[in-house]
Amino acid sequence: MFTRIKSAYNNLGIHRKMLLLISALLLGSFAFYALVLSNLYETYDSQMYEKTSELLNMSSVGIENQLKDMEHLSFKVVTDEQLQRYLTELEQTNSVYQKNVLRKKLTNRLIAFAGSEPFVYSMMVIDKEGEVMSAGNREGIPAELRTDLTTLADQNNGANAWYVGGKSSLLAVRQFKAFTGSTFTLKNLGTVIIRIRIDRIVDKQVHQSAGSTLVIADHQEIVYPEKLSFSETEINQELSRNQPYGVVNLPEGGYFSARIQSPYTGWTYLHMTPFDPMFERITWMKRLVTIIFIAIFLLGLAFGTRLSRSITRPMERLLQKMRTVETGNLDRLEELTLGPVPEGSQTEVGLLHRTFNRMLRRISELIDENYAKQLIIRETELKALQAQINPHFLYNTLESINWMAKVNKQSKISEMVEALGFLLRSSVNMSEKLIPLGRELDIVYSYVTIQQMRFEERLHFEVDIPDDLKDALIPKLTLQPLIENAIHYALEPSVNVCHIRIVARHEEDVLYISVEDDGPGMTAEFLERLHSGQVQTRGEGIGLSNIIERIRLTFGSEYGMEIESLPGVITAFHIRIPYERGEAQDV
């Protein structure tokens, strides 16, 4: 499976690879960011729970300290000497009047206790006969509830007991035990019931933010508040949650809930804070980050597409050019060379385009150069063919002249005719492009023989070439035109003796041949015209530019001929070709 995916990826184009890579980088960055953000949110939730728990602990401690004060108040009531005495006398007397007086005194004493306590809603005492004396709020307690409370006080045997009654009322219940006077019997004298204003205690100890709710529950009974913002079912679900904190979605909205349990009363403190206002900024940041990422992702894809296109489109155009050249369609070579080059000239793609265009221009130049060289070769061959004016007739005529010269004992004429015949045969036969240097010298000797008949002692010809170099291959008719040029420009204009010399040497793989004369020389302007081919050795001969081009065409542009001229001293044609030995060959 991995191999198949890798193969598919490798076969993708650069454009799709770049888009895939950019998408992977962006998605990977977003995944990393989301992971970090999630951890941050979890850390934030945990810290928020810790802070909320601390506040709940502080609140619960404050509330329960007040409840302990209420418990201490119930102890003060049941241990009050006057109340102990009134209840004892109330149990001992049979007089109805006396009982009423004692109950009145007992009520006044309760009023003294209840009036000084801000968190006491009401305070009542139930004697052994079931009569109720109360102080504070006169709201009565049903007979059934009084019986239950009395039973609860009896069960706790003098200890304080908490009772959560209807309408979320909190009651402190304790039994009177007789311990005043001369007797310490701990006899049951009655029951005191103190209704606590839990709402005031909570308001004093807890500073709740807007919308938040504190719920105090004793198992399934709600201690606080009297009116719930939520249904009892929702509260019970939160009380039964395993996690001490979390986010709960209620019909009223989302809430962050935190819960602790008091070790003193065993009550559960549940704090509900509206989630949306509290996390509004965080939620807004989440949405903003998501929108920013989507925008960055789209911009990244757009930028990646533009970037990849800026690379692949020039490469596609370059590939199209290459395919056109590959098919051999060179007619559009100039058009391809002049094609558009991508902007940003210093980029790799731009350099690649310019290099390919230079290569195309160089190919075009080479094609033109090769075409020009072929024209020169054709011109040379054409001139050689033009010299073939019925060669068989001409050779037969020369043979007849040679025979007649020998019959008439004209050796000079015979020698001249033989030299001319050899020279004509060598000039006409252009099938051999490279010949040994020795054979080229034979052509030169034939030409010089004819010219010596003409100029006699004025022409002094010399050859300084070692025998081991005579088998070196050179282009045919290379030296004869140079000798002809020397006679035409050095010997003919002068009446003095002209020295013409051919010298050859080799160094490693290079052969150097020089044709020198001591004629009047050439000016710089004439040399420039000679290099450009504007001056020919003779009207129908082979020009110097032709010789240079044939050497370069045969051996390469690093080889050729240089002309050196010192007027009145020496004029030399220096030929530089590779040193190759062998028989005559076609190329």
Side-chain angles (χ1 to χ4, degrees):
M1 184 65 180
F2 176 77
T3 304
R4 186 180 301 174
I5 295 175
K6 182 179 179 181
S7 176
Y9 175 78
N10 292 332
N11 292 329
L12 287 176
I14 297 177
H15 174 63
R16 294 187 177 180
K17 280 185 179 179
M18 291 189 66
L19 291 182
L20 186 62
L21 180 61
I22 292 174
S23 300
L25 289 176
L26 291 175
L27 291 175
S29 301
F30 181 74
F32 175 76
Y33 165 78
L35 181 62
V36 172
L37 196 63
S38 176
N39 290 333
L40 289 176
Y41 289 152
E42 290 181 1
T43 303
Y44 179 80
D45 291 345
S46 177
Q47 291 180 352
M48 183 176 178
Y49 166 69
E50 292 176 0
K51 296 298 181 182
T52 306
S53 297
E54 291 177 3
L55 292 175
L56 277 176
N57 283 325
M58 293 174 61
S59 300
S60 64
V61 169
I63 292 172
E64 291 177 357
N65 284 335
Q66 294 295 335
L67 294 179
K68 289 179 181 178
D69 290 342
M70 294 297 100
E71 183 177 351
H72 181 65
L73 176 63
S74 67
F75 178 76
K76 287 174 60 178
V77 170
V78 298
T79 59
D80 183 71
E81 293 182 1
Q82 295 184 31
L83 293 177
Q84 285 274 332
R85 186 173 66 253
Y86 294 154
L87 289 173
T88 302
E89 292 176 359
L90 187 63
E91 184 177 10
Q92 293 174 355
T93 183
N94 294 322
S95 171
V96 175
Y97 173 77
Q98 188 65 29
K99 288 183 179 181
N100 290 332
V101 171
L102 290 173
R103 288 184 177 123
K104 182 63 177 178
K105 292 180 179 181
L106 194 146
T107 301
N108 292 334
R109 186 61 180 163
L110 289 177
I111 292 173
F113 275 107
S116 62
E117 296 295 333
F119 303 123
V120 174
Y121 186 77
S122 65
M123 187 180 297
M124 63 182 65
V125 175
I126 303 174
D127 60 14
K128 294 294 291 182
E129 296 178 359
E131 294 294 332
V132 178
M133 287 71 69
S134 63
N137 191 285
R138 296 294 181 178
E139 182 178 356
I141 298 177
E144 294 180 359
L145 180 57
R146 289 201 299 270
T147 303
D148 294 338
L149 293 176
T150 302
T151 302
L152 178 62
D154 294 341
Q155 291 174 353
N156 284 271
N157 196 24
N160 185 75
W162 295 104
Y163 177 82
V164 180
K167 296 184 180 180
S168 301
S169 60
L170 179 62
L171 304 176
V173 182
R174 190 187 287 265
Q175 188 182 74
F176 282 91
K177 292 289 187 179
F179 61 87
T180 59
S182 59
T183 61
F184 194 76
T185 61
L186 296 180
K187 179 181 176 182
N188 181 13
L189 298 176
T191 303
V192 62
I193 302 172
I194 303 175
R195 179 173 287 176
I196 309 299
R197 297 186 67 98
I198 187 65
D199 53 343
R200 289 189 178 182
I201 295 176
V202 173
D203 291 340
K204 181 178 180 180
Q205 300 297 328
V206 180
H207 299 283
Q208 301 187 57
S209 58
S212 62
T213 300
L214 175 66
V215 178
I216 305 174
D218 180 16
H219 302 292
Q220 300 300 323
E221 295 292 337
I222 303 300
V223 178
Y224 175 86
E226 184 177 353
K227 295 182 179 181
L228 291 173
S229 301
F230 317 102
S231 66
E232 292 188 8
T233 303
E234 294 170 347
I235 295 298
N236 292 332
Q237 288 178 352
E238 285 303 305
L239 293 174
S240 60
R241 278 166 56 98
N242 294 326
Q243 295 180 348
Y245 71 98
V247 178
V248 57
N249 293 316
L250 301 176
E252 295 81 3
Y255 285 84
F256 180 82
S257 68
R259 185 180 71 255
I260 63 171
Q261 190 169 12
S262 170
Y264 170 62
T265 60
W267 294 349
T268 301
Y269 290 79
L270 177 65
H271 191 264
M272 304 284 286
T273 305
F275 179 83
D276 293 337
M278 182 174 58
F279 288 90
E280 181 178 2
R281 186 172 183 82
I282 296 178
T283 304
W284 180 81
M285 287 295 296
K286 284 182 179 180
R287 294 175 180 174
L288 179 62
V289 168
T290 304
I291 293 173
I292 291 175
F293 169 76
I294 294 174
I296 292 175
F297 183 76
L298 295 177
L299 288 176
L301 287 181
F303 175 77
T305 302
R306 184 178 179 85
L307 177 62
S308 62
R309 285 300 184 191
S310 66
I311 297 175
T312 56
R313 283 180 179 172
M315 294 181 68
E316 288 172 358
R317 290 199 297 266
L318 182 61
L319 183 60
Q320 185 178 3
K321 288 182 180 181
M322 290 181 177
R323 287 174 178 171
T324 303
V325 175
E326 182 183 8
T327 57
N329 185 11
L330 302 182
D331 296 335
R332 298 182 57 204
L333 195 59
E334 183 176 357
E335 178 185 348
L336 294 174
T337 302
L338 299 176
V341 178
E343 297 180 0
S345 57
Q346 298 304 318
T347 62
E348 291 81 356
V349 178
L351 293 174
L352 187 61
H353 261 268
R354 289 197 301 278
T355 302
F356 182 73
N357 286 344
R358 284 197 295 268
M359 182 189 72
L360 290 180
R361 283 194 291 270
R362 181 57 181 163
I363 291 175
S364 179
E365 291 172 359
L366 290 175
I367 291 175
D368 294 339
E369 182 180 349
N370 183 62
Y371 180 72
K373 290 178 179 179
Q374 292 297 327
L375 288 179
I376 293 174
I377 294 175
R378 296 302 179 189
E379 178 186 356
T380 303
E381 294 178 350
L382 180 60
K383 289 184 177 181
L385 290 175
Q386 289 175 349
Q388 301 183 49
I389 306 173
N390 198 354
H392 293 291
F393 173 75
L394 182 59
Y395 297 153
N396 291 335
T397 302
L398 290 175
E399 286 294 333
S400 298
I401 295 173
N402 185 27
W403 178 77
M404 292 178 65
K406 287 182 178 181
V407 169
N408 293 306
K409 301 186 182 296
Q410 297 292 328
S411 58
K412 292 291 185 181
I413 296 174
S414 175
E415 183 181 355
M416 189 173 181
V417 169
E418 288 178 353
L420 178 59
F422 179 77
L423 182 60
L424 290 176
R425 284 188 178 91
S426 300
S427 300
V428 171
N429 184 12
M430 294 298 293
S431 61
E432 295 177 313
K433 299 298 186 298
L434 295 178
I435 62 174
L437 180 57
R439 288 181 58 186
E440 180 71 12
L441 290 176
D442 291 339
I443 298 175
V444 171
Y445 284 133
S446 298
Y447 177 76
V448 171
T449 297
I450 296 173
Q451 295 297 335
Q452 283 179 336
M453 292 295 179
R454 176 185 175 190
F455 294 102
E456 298 181 347
E457 70 276 1
R458 288 176 56 200
L459 174 59
H460 184 271
F461 179 71
E462 181 182 357
V463 176
D464 184 9
I465 297 177
D467 291 339
D468 59 346
L469 294 182
K470 290 184 178 181
D471 59 350
L473 299 177
I474 69 170
K476 189 175 182 180
L477 293 179
T478 299
L479 300 181
Q480 184 272 331
L482 296 179
I483 299 298
E484 181 179 357
N485 184 77
I487 291 174
H488 182 69
Y489 291 101
L491 179 58
E492 287 182 356
S494 175
V495 295
N496 298 322
V497 176
C498 179
H499 296 83
I500 300 176
R501 181 172 179 242
I502 300 177
V503 181
R505 62 185 177 85
H506 81 93
E507 295 180 2
E508 296 182 352
D509 296 332
V510 180
L511 177 65
Y512 297 93
I513 304 175
S514 300
V515 178
E516 305 171 353
D517 68 71
D518 58 356
M522 307 177 191
T523 64
E525 181 182 358
F526 187 84
L527 280 175
E528 184 177 354
R529 293 174 57 206
L530 194 61
H531 276 299
S532 63
Q534 299 178 13
V535 180
Q536 296 183 348
T537 56
R538 299 184 72 109
E540 299 296 331
I542 300 176
L544 295 179
S545 61
N546 185 291
I547 297 174
I548 296 173
E549 289 298 326
R550 284 195 295 123
I551 292 175
R552 290 180 177 175
L553 181 62
T554 304
F555 300 112
S557 59
E558 66 270 24
Y559 299 100
M561 183 176 66
E562 296 181 358
I563 302 175
E564 176 189 3
S565 180
L566 187 59
V569 179
I570 187 174
T571 299
F573 298 87
H574 301 292
I575 300 172
R576 182 176 182 272
I577 61 175
Y579 179 42
E580 299 179 3
R581 304 177 64 181
E583 297 296 330
Q585 53 181 294
D586 297 335
V587 295

